[in-house]
Amino acid sequence: MAGATLAEKIIARAAGRDSVTPGEIVTCSVDLAMMHDSGGPRRVAAILEQLGADVWDRDRVVLVSDHYVPAVDAESAAILDLTRKWAAANGIDRFHDMQGICHVVVQEHGYLRPGMFVVGGDSHSPTGGAAGCFMFGVGATDMAGVLVTGETWIRVPGTILIRWSGRLADGVSSKDMMLASCARLGMGGGAYQVVEYAGDAIEALSYPERMTVCNMAAELGAQTGIIAPDAVTLGHLSAAGAKDIDLAPWRGDPDAAYLTIHEFDASALTPQVAKPHSPANAAPVGESAGRSIDQAYIGACTGAKLEDLHMAARVLRGRKVAAGARLLIAPASTKTTAAAAADGTLTALTKAGAILMPSGCGACAGYGAGVLADGEVCIASTARNFKGRMGATSSEVYLASPYTVAASAVAGSIADPREFIDGEAS
């Protein structure tokens, strides 16, 4: 019998089993449930009320307001009001109101641990795989079931291994890795399986960069993404306040069976840009270079963490946003904003002409400020560029790394960031 993958080990523990087999359906105990204001109380409160049921374990629920913040109209304000009142009424102490995007906030507070089985009320919940846990998105009905019972069912997925060898060049990031993956494998390449990332290029990534890689497993159509925990994981967890973390059990067996293995060469990777209207439309930046832009947007769970802002600052420091273009920056969390202010990053960004936005999902999902008008062209560090997602259906959104978005803001058109990094302004 073949050994078990990391995902199979986590599911087996949650199911109270010695082992599980891909394809079988098992019931699992949930270690943590994460919701946000858009898909949380406004969807599940009425279901729980109709059932006359209470939350199974208030200490295992994390609620984050991030989609409708800050409120821009009466409807948004009402959703936030409902969220706050539900949190208070149900004794949800882990309620993070207007503190940032849920996928970032849950990691900043050290809620995730290797080996945990976690559900999130958002499609980018695979971000949690950076911690070595199995975290996947569920809809409101399934979330209501979890809130009442503390359990959920799952059809055990197979695991696809994506192995990155080599070393990333300067000016190339994890976002480029994922856009290249989407281009090769397509948005159905994950086939609702687990995507496990490995290889020396993955091991060399910082924790925030690993979050981006796991996050965009969703763009491959995977149920989740995951990276075996190591010293980098432990460093992040320790900084977030975690103690007594045992990494040893949470690694796939050497003889584990994978559905397929995809090999990528990080050393050959160049900056990538995805043309409208799919992340799978990615290609080297040269194919889109020169396309005039109206807006550059550095935001979202994939593209506005502190390290992402550092990337942008490397390009922008001592330069200016081009006339006729606008650069909007929405840090992924209030902690990110504070850290960027303390280390001088915000000064570099705003001196270049960037407009600082509130922390939250914002324009990435078409909420609040920063959406696009008819015919406008935007390059963004977000994970998705579906038609009409960021505003008018006639607008066009290109996806790229923070390096490339910042370079394009300076050029006024899509540009290769390596040209700016190699000749960095003082």
Side-chain angles (χ1 to χ4, degrees), residues 207-251:
Y207 193 86
E209 286 282 83
R210 294 180 182 195
M211 288 171 62
T212 297
V213 166
C214 290
N215 175 292
M216 289 190 68
E219 274 56 65
L220 293 173
Q223 182 171 30
T224 195
I226 196 167
I227 297 173
D230 59 12
V232 173
T233 319
L234 186 59
H236 163 80
L237 294 173
S238 297
K243 298 179 181 178
D244 302 322
I245 300 299
D246 185 7
L247 304 181
W250 307 118
R251 183 168 295 274

Side-chain angles (χ1 to χ4, degrees), residues 251-383:
R251 183 168 295 274
D253 294 326
D255 59 342
Y258 295 99
L259 293 175
T260 187
I261 298 175
H262 298 286
E263 302 282 356
F264 287 83
D265 182 3
S267 62
L269 187 64
T270 60
Q272 303 286 300
V273 173
K275 299 177 182 178
H277 298 283
S278 169
N281 290 338
V285 61
E287 294 194 17
S288 298
R291 177 70 165 107
S292 295
I293 64 166
D294 298 293
Q295 177 169 298
Y297 183 79
I298 294 176
C301 43
T302 51
K305 301 177 294 298
L306 183 61
E307 188 166 343
D308 299 316
L309 301 189
H310 287 166
M311 294 179 198
R314 283 192 64 194
V315 173
L316 291 167
R317 191 169 279 109
R319 297 189 172 97
K320 293 290 185 183
V321 174
R326 58 187 183 271
L327 171 60
L328 308 183
I329 296 181
S333 70
T334 54
K335 283 191 174 183
T336 299
T337 303
D343 69 12
T345 299
L346 286 189
T347 298
L349 300 177
T350 54
K351 282 183 69 174
I355 299 169
L356 187 63
M357 308 285 285
S359 292
C361 295
C364 169
Y367 293 83
V371 296
L372 303 170
D374 284 327
E376 285 197 312
V377 177
C378 176
I379 185 167
S381 65
T382 60

Side-chain angles (χ1 to χ4, degrees), residues 7-8 10-17 20 25-31 56 117-119 134 136 146 149-156:
E8 289 162 6
I10 296 173
I11 294 171
R13 182 200 64 80
R17 302 264 297 270
V20 293
I25 296 174
V26 296
T27 299
C28 294
S29 296
V30 173
D31 295 305
W56 105 99
F117 184 88
V118 185
V119 298
F134 188 99
F136 64 106
V146 169
T149 67
E151 297 180 335
T152 193
W153 66 272
I154 188 172
R155 183 184 297 275
V156 181

Side-chain angles (χ1 to χ4, degrees), residues 160-166 177 180-181 184-185 196-202 258 260-269:
I160 296 168
L161 183 66
I162 294 182
R163 185 159 48 214
W164 281 90
S165 60
M177 297 169 80
S181 299
R184 184 196 292 188
L185 305 180
E196 182 175 345
Y197 302 96
D200 51 356
I202 295 295
Y258 295 99
T260 187
I261 298 175
H262 298 286
E263 302 282 356
F264 287 83
D265 182 3
S267 62
L269 187 64

